[in-house]
Amino acid sequence: MSNLRGKTVGFGLTGSHCTLEETMPQIQRLVDAGARVVPIASQTVMTTDTRFGTTNHWQNQLKQITGEEIITTITDAEPLGPSKLFDVMVIAPCTGNTTSRLANALTDSPVLMAAKATLRNLYPVVLAISTNDGLGLNAANIAKLLATKNIYFVPFGQDAPDKKPNSLVARMDLIMETCELAIQHRQLQPLLIERFHY
């Protein structure tokens, strides 16, 4: 039995639209494990239609899976700190933009406010990165977050080293396992994995 049963998981989604399809089944896994999942979405997720799906499609799927309303504003995310609602928070996909802002203490989105609120309470935040510059300029931000207390990473690797050598993407199917250990203040290992497929 998962140690997530009866826990409340905050689940923040940011604008790596190409990985949303891979992320949704992992939210379902958390719900199936007995967790309450509260979705938080960035403005990009809430307003942008792409070739990977419309914003209405993703919003409807989130509500259907979780049975919860989506937190979409900084104002609505701010009370998450005092209420201590989340036992663990996930950001998946976690873009390079979000990674850099979190690493540099910028709180300009509901997802980042929810993460800040969770860290304030000394509870774990789990990051599932998806960024084209993970081995470029964002490498410094990832390194900073790797050394930050109560932040844990879903194992990640290069997704297309032949075409995008700086790109890193997490194994979204390991989100639940990462959360289960993060609640125990442990990092799922190995952290660096082979992610790409030729």
Side-chain angles (χ1 to χ4, degrees), residues 42-175:
S42 70
Q43 183 180 14
T44 302
V45 172
M46 293 300 296
T47 60
T48 308
D49 296 335
T50 73
R51 63 189 174 94
F52 300 105
T54 66
T55 179
N56 284 339
H57 168 74
W58 298 122
Q59 289 182 50
N60 290 337
Q61 201 167 344
L62 270 176
K63 292 176 184 177
Q64 182 178 8
I65 293 171
T66 65
E68 302 276 348
E69 289 299 313
I70 305 168
I71 295 173
T72 62
T73 68
I74 292 175
T75 302
D76 288 339
E78 193 279 332
L80 296 171
S83 69
K84 297 187 177 181
L85 180 62
F86 298 155
D87 297 288
V88 58
M89 179 172 170
V90 180
I91 304 179
C94 182
T95 61
N97 193 23
T98 300
T99 302
S100 65
R101 282 168 151 69
L102 183 61
N104 291 284
L106 296 174
T107 308
D108 59 358
S109 77
V111 173
L112 289 167
M113 176 58 78
K116 178 182 176 182
T118 305
L119 290 171
R120 155 191 160 154
N121 293 326
L122 304 181
Y123 293 155
V125 171
V126 170
L127 307 180
I129 59 172
S130 180
T131 171
N132 284 329
D133 69 339
L135 294 177
L137 286 175
N138 242 323
N141 295 315
I142 292 171
K144 187 186 290 188
L145 292 170
L146 282 168
T148 300
K149 186 177 181 181
N150 293 320
I151 289 183
Y152 301 88
F153 280 77
V154 178
F156 59 85
Q158 291 175 277
D159 58 306
D162 53 332
K163 299 175 183 176
K164 301 184 295 179
N166 286 343
S167 183
L168 294 175
V169 178
R171 275 267 308 271
M172 300 300 171
D173 61 318
L174 294 176
I175 286 173

Side-chain angles (χ1 to χ4, degrees), residues 11-12 16 24 26 58 61 79 133 139 198:
F11 205 104
S16 179
M24 291 296 169
Q26 308 316 315
W58 298 122
Q61 201 167 344
D133 69 339
Y198 285 110

